Amino acid sequence: MGGITSPMPFSFGEWMIIAGLLWLLVLLISFIVFCVKKNRFFVGFGRATIDLLIIIALVMTLNCFINYHTTPIGEEMTKEAGGEKRQYTVSELAEYRDFVVTRCNELAEKMDRDENGFVRYAGTDDVDTVNALMAKEAKKSMAGLSDRFPKLSGYYVNAKPLLFSGFISQQYMQGYYFPFSMEANYNNVMYVMNKPFTMCHELSHTKSYIMEDEANFLAYLGCTNSEDEVFEYSGYIGILNYVNNEFYNNVTKEEYESHVKLSDKVKTDNIFLTKESWDKVEENAVLSTETVKQAADTFVDTTLKVNGIDDGIASYSRVVELLLMDYYK
């Protein structure tokens, strides 16, 4: 399926959603006409809708839901470590947090930047060129993990930008995996430093790693093992907030302040969208960002809980445990 949709220069999944909305609109109109004139079209169209829903349920199960019940990476790593799951101390968390912050500070100094201080990739500001080069490196980076994680071997789809990235930004989402088209899609208006990590994250979903903490962990490994320093930096930036927040929540303010501090350049790069991009999103918005984000959070949280992830959106932060297991293995 990915081999069919991947060569398309646009997100096929987005157009499938639009087609689905149009289908529902036709169904509603045909139902109204049926109630008024007893037109038989609604009966046939309704049966076709039921058939379509069965197909949707099957594809969603095979390409998404079933993967929530595979063996977690954490269990596999525990077996590799001798079968005992250990607890990590605050001092160990502090050591790893300082390591991540230090790497961010070091890599931030190596970045090529424009006149506004924002990172420039491959010496160009052309978005299409940047996207193409990053998509190629993302596939290479994830495939490079296949010796350790065999499911990451084989064919990779092309990560693609989303046409409606402004609406996605209002949801505070960096990317989406579309099970119906087997596509790894990313937000095209977010800050460039988020793209490598997001591409790798969504590609891991296409390889059956559907859990968000696992996708974050694999994206981190893929990026930080890349020879591309922008990818490496993106890998550390991608998990920085999870690790830093976990440390902040487990120590006093005085203890936190005594550790390695984020440089000004890292603070500049640790953003979702630039102010200019946010202004454009809000200018073109049909619904308020608060409404869109609340609806999106509810949908994602419900989907995760329905699939057995009891802590819902909070499961994203479980990546810290995987990171500590990998660091201290």
Side-chain angles (χ1 to χ4, degrees), residues 2 52 58 75 115 123 138 151 163 166 191 196 222 224 229 246 258 262 278 288 292 294 297 306 329:
L52 181 62
L58 175 62
E75 284 188 21
E115 63 276 9
K151 287 195 290 184
L163 177 63
Y191 182 48
T224 55
E229 288 185 333
E246 191 73 20
S258 69
L262 294 170
W278 264 125
S288 71
V292 173
Q294 185 176 1
D297 286 349
V306 164
K329 72 177 185 297

Side-chain angles (χ1 to χ4, degrees), residues 61 96 115 121 155 163 165 198 203 218 245 250 266-267 289 293 316:
T61 299
Y96 179 64
E115 63 276 9
Y121 186 69
Y155 175 78
L163 177 63
S165 289
T198 302
L203 285 175
L218 293 173
N245 291 344
N250 280 278
V266 174
K267 291 177 182 178
T289 296
K293 186 179 186 304
Y316 283 62

Side-chain angles (χ1 to χ4, degrees), residues 40-53:
R40 300 295 297 174
F41 175 77
F42 169 72
V43 177
F45 197 74
R47 287 173 179 168
T49 300
I50 293 173
D51 293 340
L52 181 62
L53 289 174

Side-chain angles (χ1 to χ4, degrees), residues 2 43 82 90 93 121 128 161 168 177 184 207 246 275 287 298 309:
V43 177
V90 174
L93 173 62
Y121 186 69
D128 292 337
I168 299 302
Y177 158 60
K207 290 295 186 176
E246 191 73 20
K275 184 180 183 305
L287 300 172
T298 301
I309 314 303

